Amino acid sequence: MRLFNTVLKIMASSSILLFIFFEANAQNVKAGTEWILFNKGWRFNLGDVPFPEIRGHDHSYMNAKAGQAGGAAAPDYKDSSWTILNLPHDWAIDRPIDASANLSQGFRKRGIGWYRKQFKLDSADRGKNLELQFEGIATHATIWLNGSVLHRNWCGYTSSYIDITAFAKYGNAVNTIVVRVDADAQEGWWYEGAGIYRDTWLVKRSAVHVITDGVYANPVKLTSSGNQWLIPGAVTLQNSGKEKVQALVQMSLWDAAGKLVDKSENKILVPALDSTSVLIKLQANQPLLWSVNHPELYKVKTIVKVNGLQTDSLWTSCGFRTIRFDADSGFYLNDKRLKIKGVCNHHDHAGVGVAMPVSIAEFRLRKLKEMGVNAYRCAHHPPSVEFLNLCDRLGIMVMDENRNFNSSPEYLRQLQWMVRRDRNHPSIILWSVFNEEPMQGTEQGYEMVRRMNHEVKKLDLTRPVTAAMNGGFFEPFNVSKAVDLVGFNYQVASYDKFHKENPTLSMTSSEDVSGFMTRGAYKTDTSKHILDAYDTQYAKWGTSHRTGWKMIAERPFVAGAFVWTGFDYHGEPSPFGWPSASSFFGAMDICGFPKTAFYLHQAQWVEDKSILHLVPEWNWPVDSIGKNIKVMALSNAESIKLFLNGKLFAEQKADKYEMNTWQVPYQPGKLMAVGYVKGKEVSRYVVETTGTAVQIKLTPDRLSLKGDGLDAMPITVQVVDARGRAVPDAQHKIKFELTGSGAIIGLGNGDPNSHEPEKGNERSLFNGLAQLIVQTQESCIAGSITVIARAEGMKAAKLVIPVKAGVSCK
Ligand code: GAL
């Protein structure tokens, strides 16, 4: 950490030296060059298509030649019987839950699949630079174009950028991309999905262009006082033309209102078939700072000109903020102390698996913000670009995590890719090189991390490198000595000892809690794989949510929390096995419906508004009348009064860590809590016994959708009594019918034990709730989606969602 601070000081005092450290590249806002979303019209075959056996001289000879791939990789392979589909695609989520499949992967078979796509290129594209991009393929991918193998990617979370210029055919000739995906390969112990599950792009650029992730524009504060900033900009150009050229690169900084802040330019010689970087300084005086409450973003425009003609231009988003970790007092954002209130998450959701539309990712991040979360650990793999853009925009700090712990060349390449792609995002405050590695307390582990940290520093000096350790902290050789910030996974009993023995090392929890809850269930029944939602159940290496936060909140030297997890996810159904198929760890279930832990953290973490929530719901069977029911209030008030059917039942001083509980003899009716601060009422929450369900209710997450074929939203499904009150213990099976310009793309209900399909048009409520996810079709005229929901004995519900035109048609 001292080294890191020193480097920051060096950077602040010498911009010349700074340039030595900064190489080019970065995440870009997609604009300028022609970015063609290449998601549509792929042919897909589930199952392997074995290559023909190679026999005899002629066959062997030709098989060894460029452009001569055989079997399903051959351009002329007959694929007409294959399914036609659009990406992103996760074939595992379509498959049934199957006892013979791996528990970690949610008991869903993965297997092998093939994709093919044919396309033509305009003759006018000749001379351009063409790049094919796959943002994420689970898990091992081999990619061919026109019969030549172009790329192999053996990490399901890193993108592939493939220069196809030399292989491309123009005019009437057909180009054929083939991707073989081996999803039997596993990189995790959680659900990883299967297939081309993130966006795919064809990028057409001029011969002299900025390479992908080729703009580095991460602002650095110049002085400790005042508000003077430097963007040590670096741009990497490539020239696929035949002659060397002199390029002029212009960079300009713009604020959110579109006002120019600074501009500068520089010239560079770009040899043919080579790439080179140019450095350009931009300055800003008194910019608006990026923070979790005010995530101010700026944009950098990069223009490339050759002989006065523009050959490339693109926008890169960035933010002005400082970060600092202190060994005694934790984390500082813009020099203000901020306790990290983070959650860890994988990247799947009910119904859609890992092929998650951006709008669903946004829905999830908004739910986390509502819970009081200010940080997100991408456990244990890099997220999508769109996800990071959302975190920048919504003000959520990110621990960006590398998947594979290895310092050999191929794995360093994966780490470099992550840092190059992501280093302009103001949301990213930490790079994590691993999670819980058995070598963490060994000389080999130490040496590997030392190398990985060094590799990160070559690309970004502004963020600390951490590793999520769950042991080895006190070994003579251990990874804590090779990182800038020590990450603790659990091991809460070692916080004080470690800090005492290593007073100069900064530390954070990188993972904590691992509590178990079934949403809406208040009695543990292990025979039925149900775990109560009173925060009494947790993994043996973890703690309750309440203890976990108390341990961190009371220790200023622990920078913050990263609760395992914000949402349930498919797979890892600990502490159970079959038939449970998804996890119990989330503060929310897999649909994003809050569990008690959501309200608990809200009470602990939200500071700017009054929080009060009661569990359980107040619908108990008649034989419970007179029997004690445990009632828990989740609140940030100072004291709470509890009223049963209008009569004061009890008053308690609120306990901000433990929360408040009572044993209340059950009487149907109304249970009400009132929260007070300084003797004044600040909050009120009521749970009421409902009547029987008579009607279905559909609640959309937003008022309208965009008809771009991408926009999606969850619709909450409930049943209500005659007075319109949602019935919390309802388990009805609901059937859906959708008409209009969209489709149902997934279903869920948050029950980790459910084996109902996540695709189709019916789903049971689980403890009163289910979720339907709808997505629009591309349309150039405004329209609507109509959903009708029906269940036996229930009045149907009809929901009409307006769909705005998503594309303009001539
Ligand atoms: C941790 C691990 C996580 C998850 C969690 C469950 O040790 O890092 O990936 O498995 O345990 O408690």
Side-chain angles (χ1 to χ4, degrees), residues 5-230:
N5 286 336
T6 315
V7 169
L8 282 182
K9 272 189 214 139
I10 297 171
M11 289 172 60
S13 61
S14 163
S15 55
I16 299 169
L17 195 63
L18 197 119
F19 281 136
I20 301 172
F21 290 109
F22 286 91
E23 207 195 293
N25 295 316
Q27 153 269 343
N28 300 318
V29 175
K30 293 187 168 83
T33 333
E34 207 182 342
W35 286 81
I36 300 162
L37 195 55
F38 232 40
N39 286 347
K40 280 195 210 152
W42 288 75
R43 292 248 179 210
F44 172 69
N45 182 69
L46 181 59
D48 203 4
V49 185
F51 285 97
E53 195 186 343
I54 317 250
R55 288 174 78 91
H57 174 79
D58 291 355
H59 193 184
S60 305
Y61 181 86
M62 285 315 288
N63 175 64
K65 303 295 175 186
Q68 298 298 320
D76 60 359
Y77 180 81
K78 295 277 168 290
D79 60 14
S80 51
S81 62
W82 293 16
T83 312
I84 298 175
L85 50 77
N86 295 338
L87 307 177
H89 178 226
D90 172 3
W91 79 67
I93 201 70
D94 297 349
R95 306 190 77 177
I97 290 173
D98 174 345
S100 68
N102 184 357
L103 144 154
S104 299
Q105 301 281 346
F107 290 110
R108 290 185 201 260
K109 289 226 165 116
R110 301 177 75 214
I112 290 171
W114 286 76
Y115 296 84
R116 289 171 55 94
K117 180 178 171 70
Q118 297 196 312
F119 64 102
K120 286 186 181 168
L121 290 164
D122 204 304
S123 304
D125 288 333
R126 199 175 254 115
K128 287 185 186 163
N129 184 271
L130 303 172
E131 185 173 87
L132 199 55
Q133 296 189 357
F134 293 92
E135 289 192 6
I137 306 178
T139 287
H140 288 182
T142 311
I143 299 159
W144 292 263
L145 182 78
N146 297 339
S148 290
V149 64
L150 295 196
H151 190 65
R152 292 188 176 87
N153 188 350
W154 281 12
C155 176
Y157 305 95
T158 57
S159 302
S160 303
Y161 309 144
I162 310 161
D163 184 343
I164 61 166
T165 316
F167 301 85
K169 295 176 183 172
Y170 303 89
N172 277 333
V174 172
N175 294 282
T176 308
I177 313 171
V178 183
V179 185
R180 178 182 184 271
V181 183
D182 175 355
D184 277 332
Q186 283 188 198
E187 287 183 292
W189 50 96
W190 55 89
Y191 175 83
E192 298 186 276
I196 310 180
Y197 72 94
R198 285 183 185 159
D199 286 336
T200 297
W201 299 87
L202 173 66
V203 191
K204 298 181 182 176
R205 297 169 166 128
S206 305
V208 181
H209 60 273
V210 179
I211 66 163
T212 302
D213 302 336
V215 173
Y216 187 26
N218 186 32
V220 185
K221 197 172 175 194
L222 278 179
T223 46
S224 50
S225 61
N227 197 2
Q228 303 271 358
W229 295 73
L230 170 75

Side-chain angles (χ1 to χ4, degrees), residues 222-259:
L222 278 179
T223 46
S224 50
S225 61
N227 197 2
Q228 303 271 358
W229 295 73
L230 170 75
I231 297 184
V235 181
T236 302
L237 299 183
Q238 194 183 45
N239 176 6
S240 54
K242 297 191 177 70
E243 310 290 338
K244 65 171 182 260
V245 295
Q246 172 87 19
L248 174 71
V249 184
Q250 301 175 320
M251 274 184 127
S252 49
L253 175 66
W254 302 78
D255 70 12
K259 197 169 141 241

